[in-house]
Every structure is written in C-alpha cells, then in structure tokens.
C-alpha cells in the first residue's frame, strides 16, 4: 500500500508541475515528485540510487532551478499564457509515444533471474569519476550557462 501511495504522490506532484500557473509552485511540485521517486527507489531496495537522486536532483539541480526562478521574476507574470497552439500536436505525439512504448514493452521477453547481482558501489564510483566524468562536466557547464542566461533575462535594462 505504501508503494502505491508514493506512486500516487509522485504522479500528483508531476501533474502539479505541468498544470500549476505559478512557476515557483511548479518547481516545488517537481521537488516533491523527485523525492517521491527517491522513496520508490528505496522501496525497490536501490538505496544508492535513492541517495544520489536526493543529493543531485533534489539538492543541487532544484536549488539551481529555484535560484534561477527567483532571479527571473518576470516569468511569474500572469499575462504570460500557460498553453499555446502546440497543445494538440503535443498531446497526439504523447499518445503515439505511449502506444509505441506500450507495444514494445508488451512484446519484449523479460527474462527473470532468481539471483540478485552484487552491488559494487566502489566500481560504480570509479566509473562515474573515470570514463563518465566528461558528461557530468558538460552538464555542469550547461547548468551554469542556464543560470547566467536567467541573470541576463532578469536584469533591468
């Protein structure tokens, strides 16, 4: 029951992200959705991924997003429309995507093994700081560029 309650909370928060008019409230709903996903990871016994989810996404990325929202106070203007003419094509694309993914999931043979592979966090840490360090650095540059862009948009002319 707890797992389904967390799933419902995450989905409700995700709906709040896209449906709320206030961008700050949407960001707070995104924090709740990300925390809900971390709790689901804990329920699936993936403690390391849950901790990484909380530290990276909830802690670092959402702090940056909320800071950028605070700098761009003009984004909270009520005169900015919430939807546009792309809503119907986006919804139809979503339906096509969901149908395709559902078809692929149903037709895939999912082998089930009784053995649980051992979790080697040392090897995972070495991989993340070794061959996969470049993508993390690229992401940090993109986030800093987004923050600088928010400052440029927010400054008074």
């Amino acid at each position: 029951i707890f797992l389904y309650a967390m799933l419902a909370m995450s989905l409700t928060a995700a709906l709040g992200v896209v449906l709320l008019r206030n961008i700050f409230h949407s960001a707070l709903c995104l924090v709740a959705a990300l925390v809900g996903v971390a709790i689901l990871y804990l329920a699936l016994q993936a403690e390391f991924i849950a901790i990484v989810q909380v530290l990276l996404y909830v802690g670092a990325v959402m702090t940056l997003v909320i800071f950028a929202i605070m700098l761009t106070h003009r984004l909270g203007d009520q005169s900015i429309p919430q939807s546009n003419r792309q809503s119907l094509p986006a919804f139809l694309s979503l339906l096509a995507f969901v149908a395709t993914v559902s078809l692929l999931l149903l037709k895939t043979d999912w082998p089930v093994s009784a053995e649980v592979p051992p979790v080697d966090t040392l090897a995972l840490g070495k991989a993340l700081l070794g061959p996969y360090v470049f993508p993390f650095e690229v992401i940090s540059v993109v986030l800093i560029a987004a923050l600088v862009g928010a400052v440029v948009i927010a400054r008074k002319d």
Side-chain angles (χ1 to χ4, degrees):
I1 292 174
F2 177 73
L3 188 65
Y4 288 116
M6 287 298 101
L7 181 63
M9 191 267 308
S10 295
L11 289 175
T12 304
L15 280 173
V17 171
V18 296
L19 295 178
L20 290 176
R21 293 192 60 84
N22 188 327
I23 192 168
F24 184 73
H25 293 158
S26 292
L28 293 179
C29 282
L30 184 57
V31 168
L34 292 173
V35 168
V37 169
I39 292 171
L40 290 174
Y41 285 143
L42 283 176
L44 295 171
Q45 297 178 349
E47 295 86 5
F48 180 74
I49 302 295
I51 291 170
V52 169
Q53 171 88 7
V54 170
L55 288 177
L56 288 180
Y57 290 110
V58 178
V61 173
M62 286 311 301
T63 301
L64 181 66
V65 167
I66 290 175
F67 185 62
I69 289 171
M70 294 298 203
L71 286 174
T72 57
H73 58 85
R74 289 187 289 178
L75 289 178
D77 190 7
Q78 294 297 330
S79 64
I80 298 174
Q82 176 149 356
S83 62
N84 57 27
R85 295 182 300 236
Q86 307 291 322
S87 297
L88 182 62
F91 183 70
L92 294 176
S93 298
L94 172 70
L95 289 179
F97 176 75
V98 168
T100 304
V101 169
S102 298
L103 185 66
L104 289 173
L105 287 175
L106 291 175
K107 289 193 174 206
T108 302
D109 182 30
W110 300 97
V112 178
S113 174
E115 295 180 20
V116 177
V119 178
D120 188 9
T121 54
L122 180 64
L124 182 61
K126 285 183 179 180
L128 289 176
L129 294 176
Y132 298 109
V133 74
F134 182 71
F136 287 117
E137 293 301 323
V138 169
I139 289 172
S140 67
V141 169
V142 169
L143 289 174
I144 290 173
L147 183 60
V148 169
V151 170
V152 168
I153 290 172
R155 73 174 187 182
K156 302 281 184 198
D157 290 332

